Amino acid sequence: EQAARWAEARIGQVYTTENRNATWWSGWCETFAEGAYGNRFIYSSAIQDYNSLASRGLIRGGVPPRGALVFYNNNVNGHVAVSVGNGYVVSTIGWSTDRLPVAKNSYTYFSNYLGWALPYGS
């Protein structure tokens, strides 16, 4: 619940002081998702995070529950979002050269849905 609330509180935010690599959120989806759970810089990309969870059999399909990490294979680094329930996710959008706000979208908004996992294998 805390992760979902953290993500929802950042909807519309373009710039951040929570990212040591950039001052904006676009292109930093893994940093955003990790931040929702109070972590920083565990994985260098969303696809690396996904592969770690998948190798332990922790990825599930279907509509993600509130608080789950939601993964997509839509580019070389993948994409990750935080589920806020009812079929919606909150995440960064755009590339690192963009300055787009954090947004809430349907979990089907992003292409190549891979599935979801609860953090820490719970």
Side-chain angles (χ1 to χ4, degrees), residues 4-14 25 32 84 88-91 101-105:
R5 287 184 186 174
W6 186 95
E8 289 172 322
R10 282 148 183 84
I11 293 172
Q13 188 181 68
V14 175
W25 280 122
F32 179 84
V84 293
Y88 288 93
V89 297
V90 172
S91 74
V102 170
K104 179 179 175 181
N105 292 292

Side-chain angles (χ1 to χ4, degrees), residues 87-119:
Y88 288 93
V89 297
V90 172
S91 74
T92 64
I93 56 175
W95 304 97
S96 61
T97 55
D98 297 328
R99 304 295 188 276
L100 302 175
V102 170
K104 179 179 175 181
N105 292 292
S106 167
Y107 84 100
T108 60
Y109 174 81
F110 299 101
S111 61
N112 301 314
Y113 174 60
L114 293 171
W116 60 268
L118 294 175

Side-chain angles (χ1 to χ4, degrees), residues 46 49-50 53 59 69-73 79-80 112-115 117:
D49 190 354
Y50 168 81
L53 292 162
I59 299 296
L69 294 170
V70 185
F71 294 95
Y72 305 86
N73 189 21
H79 183 68
V80 62
N112 301 314
Y113 174 60
L114 293 171

Side-chain angles (χ1 to χ4, degrees), residues 34-92:
E34 288 182 13
Y37 296 96
N39 296 313
R40 291 289 188 271
F41 313 109
I42 296 171
Y43 298 102
S44 61
S45 69
I47 204 68
Q48 186 183 51
D49 190 354
Y50 168 81
N51 288 335
S52 175
L53 292 162
S55 72
R56 293 180 277 152
L58 299 173
I59 299 296
R60 306 288 180 255
V63 179
R66 186 168 171 86
L69 294 170
V70 185
F71 294 95
Y72 305 86
N73 189 21
N74 57 359
N75 65 60
V76 67
N77 293 312
H79 183 68
V80 62
V82 177
S83 174
V84 293
N86 298 317
Y88 288 93
V89 297
V90 172
S91 74
T92 64

